[in-house]
Structures are given as C-alpha cells and as structure tokens.
Amino acid sequence: MKFVKESVIKASPERVFAFHELPDAFERLMPPWEDATIIKKADISKIGSQAIIDNKLFGLVSSRWVAEHTAYDPPRMFEDVQLSGPFSSWRHRHIVEPHPEGAVLRDEIEYEPPMWFLGAIAAPILVVPKLEKMFDFRHEVTRKWCESTD
C-alpha cells in the first residue's frame, strides 16, 4: 500500500530540508494527540542511525517502533525503514523538490499493515485516516517554521 502527502512550502528546498535536521525536529513533528514516547532519536544524516519510539496504538496496545535511516541525500531526500513495529513493513521517503513558489515537501510511505488480509481490509478505515491527520499536522508544523522570518 502507498500513502503520499504533498505540500508546497514558500521556502527554499535547503530550508525545508534543514528543518528536518534540527535536533528537536522529531519532537516538533509528534502530534500532541499521539500517545508516544521517544526512547532514542535518530540522526537523519547518519545511515544506520535508529529511532526507537514506544506508543499505544488506538490508546490500547503498546508497541515499540524501531526505524533505521537508510538513505540521506541533502537537500533532496532522506529515508527510514521500520525494523520492528506495528506494520508488517514500512518505508518512508521524505522528499524535498524545487517549486516555483519555493519547495514541495512530499512524504511517500510504502507499507503493509499487520494481520495480512485483515489489515489490508481495515487500512482504509483505521490506518489511512490516522496517516492523513498526522501528516497534515507535520506538514503544517514544517510550513510554519520554514516560512517564518525568525
């Protein structure tokens, strides 16, 4: 399955990429409604660097997510892959491209939900709306920082 979120941000691709390299970028991008604790932060500039997050899925089931950074090409792209966690598989590409108004930020996620065909049936109802809400929030946080004059 594939999920894509794309936004135009009125800032240079370098500035949009730089936001993701901030030491506290991951904390900024964590929606306040998520019941998650960052155990270990990854350094996106280091391939092999891992992030570990404990979270509760739907407020009920505890899950530990371990993701590893597998690609880094500034200011164009970085990628992380789930090593263990709630999905059967997860590959997330963070892509930044030039745009006449500044830059396009595109998150491309290729994933397989858990529980094989039951997960695939449930994904449009349970997974996709959660991803849409989360990435709407993340893109707005990124846009505000990148377009600020500070």
Side-chain angles (χ1 to χ4, degrees), residues 70-88:
T70 54
Y72 177 71
D73 183 14
R76 199 180 140 274
M77 184 273 294
F78 66 99
E79 175 185 84
D80 52 87
V81 173
Q82 174 192 285
L83 298 180
S84 63
F87 290 86
S88 294

Side-chain angles (χ1 to χ4, degrees), residues 14-15 21 51 56-57 62 98 128 148:
E14 292 77 13
R15 182 159 173 85
E21 294 179 311
K56 291 215 172 183
L57 302 174
S62 293
V128 174
S148 72

